[in-house]
Amino acid sequence: MKREWWIILLAFLGGIALTNLLGSELLTTYGILNEYFLRQYSYQTVDENRLFCHVAVERMQAAFFFYILGRAMDGRIFALLVKGLAAAMFGFLSVAAIVNLGARGIVVVLCGLFPQWLCYLAALFLYANWRSRQGENRRYDTGAGGLGAAVTLGGILAVCILAGILAESWINPMLLAWVQKIF
């Protein structure tokens, strides 16, 4: 358990290091976390229904990818990979936002991730921890109890992903527009 936290911390620091290695010129010129793109976003009106369809397709593809990856890998390694990847992405986004927008960049990134990523990370961590427990047991429950648990977990994951898609499509654009007015 202690080693897992060290790996997650190293992944977070790796995301920070990668952002710094890319250089501020690349991030300010081509990154979406800069003044130009935020200003352009403030002039747009968001069609929530089209956004919902687009987000649903993208997130379902990602969910399918993580499902297949989770089935192909050992459960404990998959759980560690998911947690490390989440930490590395958060480190990368945090530094990219600070480079482009200063301290307010952290607020913009957190606003851009909230509330949908609470749902997505809950689904991803639930699935990863379930796969990890399966890896620790070294066997798969094929009986009715194992099937019931898998169906229940699948339902919970579907609800979490749907809640994330709804939040990303309808709540997050309003939240980002509100933050844009403040900054």
Side-chain angles (χ1 to χ4, degrees):
M1 188 64 160
K2 204 180 251 192
R3 185 174 68 185
E4 179 178 319
W5 286 107
W6 281 107
I7 293 172
I8 293 169
L9 176 64
L10 287 174
F12 177 73
L13 294 175
I16 291 172
L18 177 64
T19 311
N20 286 315
L21 288 174
L22 289 176
S24 63
E25 181 66 29
L26 181 68
L27 293 173
T28 56
T29 305
Y30 299 107
I32 61 169
L33 292 171
N34 61 34
E35 292 289 336
Y36 173 77
F37 283 108
L38 291 177
R39 209 173 307 114
Q40 293 300 316
Y41 180 78
S42 67
Y43 297 130
Q44 299 293 320
T45 56
V46 177
D47 181 2
E48 287 89 3
N49 294 326
R50 287 183 63 199
L51 181 61
F52 175 81
C53 293
H54 175 73
V55 168
V57 168
E58 293 295 321
R59 299 306 173 243
M60 294 312 293
Q61 288 175 348
F64 181 72
F65 170 76
F66 278 108
Y67 173 76
I68 295 298
L69 187 64
R71 299 301 293 176
M73 296 178 73
D74 178 62
R76 291 172 293 165
I77 294 171
F78 176 70
L80 186 59
L81 176 72
V82 163
K83 293 170 188 173
L85 188 61
M89 287 188 332
F90 187 70
F92 184 90
L93 281 174
S94 298
V95 173
I98 291 170
V99 165
N100 286 317
L101 303 170
R104 71 184 175 125
I106 295 295
V107 175
V108 171
V109 164
L110 291 177
C111 178
L113 296 175
F114 184 79
Q116 69 272 14
W117 278 98
L118 294 175
C119 301
Y120 296 147
L121 286 177
L124 194 56
F125 288 166
L126 277 172
Y127 179 62
N129 286 332
W130 181 69
R131 289 290 298 134
S132 178
R133 282 194 305 274
Q134 281 185 329
E136 289 171 2
N137 291 339
R138 301 257 195 269
R139 67 173 178 83
Y140 293 98
D141 291 332
T142 56
L147 180 62
V151 169
T152 302
L153 177 71
I156 292 170
L157 295 179
V159 167
C160 286
I161 292 170
L162 181 61
I165 291 170
L166 291 171
E168 189 171 359
S169 302
W170 284 297
I171 297 171
N172 191 259
M174 291 186 297
L175 190 59
L176 279 173
W178 179 72
V179 166
Q180 286 254 237
K181 288 178 185 175
I182 293 173
F183 291 117

